[in-house]
Amino acid sequence: MSKIAILGFGTVGSGVLEVLRTNAALATRRAGQPVEVKYICDIRDFSSHPDAKLFVKELDPILNDPEISAVVETIGGTKVAYPYVKAVLESGRHVATSNKELVATHGAELLALARKKGVCFLFEASVGGGTPVITPMYQCLAANVLSEVHGIVNGTTNFMLTKMEHEGMDFEEALKLAQSLGYAETIDPSADVDGIDAQRKICILASIMFGRHFYPKNVRARGIRDVSVKDIALAKCQNAAVKLIAWAKQTENGPALGVEPMLVPQTSQLAGVSDVFNAVMVHGDMLGDVMFYGKGAGKLPTASAVVADVLDALRNGGSIQESLFWQDSEPWEGTYEDSSSSDWYVRASGDTAAAEKVFGTIEILEESADEIAFTLREKSDAECRELCEKARKENICVKNVLKWLAH
Amino acid sequence: MSKIAILGFGTVGSGVLEVLRTNAALATRRAGQPVEVKYICDIRDFSSHPDAKLFVKELDPILNDPEISAVVETIGGTKVAYPYVKAVLESGRHVATSNKELVATHGAELLALARKKGVCFLFEASVGGGTPVITPMYQCLAANVLSEVHGIVNGTTNFMLTKMEHEGMDFEEALKLAQSLGYAETIDPSADVDGIDAQRKICILASIMFGRHFYPKNVRARGIRDVSVKDIALAKCQNAAVKLIAWAKQTENGPALGVEPMLVPQTSQLAGVSDVFNAVMVHGDMLGDVMFYGKGAGKLPTASAVVADVLDALRNGGSIQESLFWQDSEPWEGTYEDSSSSDWYVRASGDTAAAEKVFGTIEILEESADEIAFTLREKSDAECRELCEKARKENICVKNVLKWLAH
């Protein structure tokens, strides 16, 4: 019998209890022994909960119980989760977490601690929710040098963009709907709509890919606030969909990372990924492209990935940690920029002549009385930003600029 | 230093050597030690090969060398591969293979032997080539009861169907092209075009899913020989693509399995899978649908999956085998039939009146002077077969019958 504890009894934490109980026979088979939740740590009052006797308000009873061999962290954030996870690993127990902020901020340190203690620190659920992404990347693609990863890693914004595309909703309407369905935070939806969630996730994937830690503050992230129904319609005319893409790649000048809404051609598998689904495309030197697709969030999907990690830790112990490991990076103030060239979609005020004066050769997509949309070929991110800056100085209002996903 | 042997130096076997050498540093990191190929066993003459000194013609030198800890089997077929793999497992070495025929025919026995000996028998490359499917299924989805798996698991026929759809080639033309590109066997392409390869692969996936062995002879398989450009065009009018689908699901009456060309609605991620790509959709009770997509064949992709298995075995040893295990099944003569209802596409000679007389209520898709195409709703496989039989007795020539993939 393996006994575990759950830290944080919110959506995912309560899902972990449910998954372990619903599929107890399966868990026993996979872990090689029955798995029982002995403690649930949460500062809130659960005295009338059917499992009230499992609840504790502090970590100490868990740390002091020699029967506990693994701990699930589903508190979220870093304020409590970070010291708690550190203490659990220090005490020689495995940790499985769904907390992307924790991994993106303290991953390298916690991995080193886990390695030192011979235990596991696993976090499959931190990217893609229940969809397997991290394990296939470091395990199944172990014989490949990974040169690029890009994908749709935020289900909330993908749901909103789908509604904008299929039902013509504007950003505000789509956000309200996402909030009413519980996909986006009601008070402050910025983690989703401003790309902060995606920024954390791409840092985790890049850290696996390059073997060293990438911190969110060094990654340029832009959300979907300025994507309009007009942009989506013009993208459609170009056989493309607008998607919030998180990407990381090896370039001539080293690693480049970013999060931004992009034009994804319909020939890419990512263009057809709709609603709250996520999909991550990984490029390996031997394998070419592979894609992992599934629900990116949700109580039971995410919880099932946390449980799979726990079962893996209980069965295989610290030996699996060696292959999922990355070094820390030196603190640094800049951002990982991509110096390679891309094609761009630009929508701006003015006419062809005014646009050509600033941008040079352009391909017109649509021109109306006061607005123009065009394609700009083969510019780097920096060159494109510079041209837009120049346009603003010429009193051209640049309404949106979106990169084409190379495919 | 880990030393391994490769059995069979064909396409995949030579790829394994290439992957291990090209990504030697990566292999060392993942396996926790350098990995060296010490023997290559092949009955053919490689005396002028740069690695001539590695070649042996028999298994004995490998079995007798205590330095060898893992063996890769890439011979194919079962005549030689089966006794060789058995002997290697018996001797207490790990085996990684890409051989789907071996796994579909002798998987249960070889898994039991590996378990008994405390070593690994791994075969990620046997389904999906380099695309991770098996490992995510048994490891990442470990907390899910799997109720259905379906997908495109044969790249050759998917390439042919893509050419038929996009370029209007007929079956013969598409086959010739696939043969000239090396995707299909020149002498006898039946393993691909008659669904035999897909039949083996779905048996492997079903065995993982249900925890007991499914033998190919108990699975009804139909290939793409009778799919015409006309069928593909009519499917397109219905917003669907014709794809060769291998499927397995839990039904009220137990497991059901099959391989057949189906109409896949464009709303399914599978409809957009083109050329030699494979994609497998798995349904878990906690997770919902997840899909794994990538190249289904090819020297280096497949070899990279075999190498990942070897690295996994060298690092984790026999402990990973416990979760990838299934029992044997009693020998049995029937087939695993699906008794649930589906919608069907039917193309036949005659007119509406004649078709209605046999099939009852139908929805006409197209009617010409001597041919009719229609949709038949809510019939089981057996009911549909019975109706087609009845039609033939009424002198109606049933030209094609394709099931709609439920989505």
Side-chain angles (χ1 to χ4, degrees), chain B residues 256-311:
Chain B
L257 285 81
V259 174
E260 62 197 299
M262 292 176 93
L263 260 62
V264 179
Q266 288 294 345
T267 47
S268 163
Q269 281 282 316
L270 291 178
V273 174
S274 56
D275 296 321
V276 294
F277 280 84
N278 282 15
V280 175
M281 189 81 88
V282 183
H283 187 86
D285 63 342
M286 297 295 150
L287 186 50
D289 286 330
V290 291
M291 189 181 84
F292 309 106
Y293 164 93
K295 279 217 187 81
K299 175 178 174 166
L300 295 178
T302 307
S304 82
V306 178
V307 170
D309 273 351
V310 170
L311 301 179

Side-chain angles (χ1 to χ4, degrees), chain A residues 59-281:
Chain A
L59 187 62
D60 284 346
I62 296 165
L63 292 179
N64 294 333
D65 187 336
E67 280 196 334
I68 296 295
S69 49
V71 171
V72 162
E73 186 277 305
T74 47
I75 304 167
T78 59
K79 203 180 147 194
V80 177
Y82 172 58
Y84 272 31
V85 165
K86 219 168 137 176
V88 172
L89 291 172
E90 278 285 2
S91 78
R93 273 91 166 195
H94 306 298
V95 172
T97 181
S98 59
N99 187 337
K100 51 231 164 206
E101 189 179 349
L102 179 70
V103 181
T105 317
H106 301 288
E109 182 195 349
L110 297 171
L111 283 167
L113 180 56
R115 176 186 259 191
K116 189 178 136 200
K117 293 289 175 177
V119 294
C120 294
F121 176 60
L122 300 175
F123 39 85
E124 175 60 66
S126 66
V127 180
T131 307
V133 177
I134 291 174
T135 308
M137 258 180 88
Y138 79 81
Q139 185 172 327
C140 306
L141 273 57
N144 283 266
V145 174
L146 307 180
S147 57
E148 187 170 351
V149 50
H150 63 266
I152 295 164
V153 295
N154 181 273
T156 305
T157 44
N158 202 53
F159 171 82
M160 290 171 62
L161 289 171
T162 304
K163 288 292 162 189
M164 291 169 77
E165 182 184 340
H166 295 172
E167 295 172 31
M169 288 185 187
D170 65 19
F171 172 85
E172 290 300 338
E173 278 178 282
L175 176 58
K176 264 183 206 147
L177 182 61
Q179 285 171 322
S180 73
L181 291 168
Y183 297 153
E185 294 288 336
T186 317
I187 298 166
D188 179 9
S190 60
D192 289 317
V193 302
D194 294 324
I196 299 166
D197 173 77
Q199 186 188 37
R200 288 171 184 147
K201 288 169 177 169
I202 197 64
C203 284
I204 296 172
L205 297 182
S207 300
I208 295 171
M209 183 169 145
F210 294 109
R212 67 178 177 87
H213 199 100
F214 287 80
Y215 287 93
K217 68 170 186 177
N218 301 123
V219 176
R220 211 183 268 271
R222 178 184 153 199
I224 64 163
R225 281 191 200 270
D226 55 7
V227 175
S228 70
V229 172
K230 179 89 198 178
D231 298 318
I232 292 173
L234 283 166
K236 211 168 190 172
C237 294
Q238 300 277 296
N239 290 315
V242 178
K243 297 286 177 192
L244 184 64
I245 301 293
W247 54 269
K249 59 182 177 179
Q250 185 62 273
T251 73
E252 282 177 11
N253 304 316
L257 283 80
V259 174
E260 63 196 300
M262 292 176 93
L263 259 62
V264 179
Q266 288 295 345
T267 47
S268 163
Q269 281 282 316
L270 292 177
V273 174
S274 55
D275 296 321
V276 295
F277 281 84
N278 283 14
V280 175
M281 188 82 87

Side-chain angles (χ1 to χ4, degrees), chain A residues 23 30 143 291 293 319 323, chain B residues 23 30 143 291 293 316 319 323:
Chain A
N23 289 342
R30 302 289 185 178
M291 190 181 85
Y293 164 92
S319 70
S323 51
Chain B
N23 290 340
R30 302 289 185 178
M291 189 181 84
Y293 164 93
N316 293 314
S319 70
S323 51

Side-chain angles (χ1 to χ4, degrees), chain B residues 169-187:
Chain B
M169 288 186 189
D170 65 17
F171 174 86
E172 291 300 337
E173 277 177 284
L175 176 57
K176 264 183 206 146
L177 181 61
Q179 286 171 321
S180 73
L181 292 168
Y183 296 153
E185 293 289 334
T186 317
I187 299 166

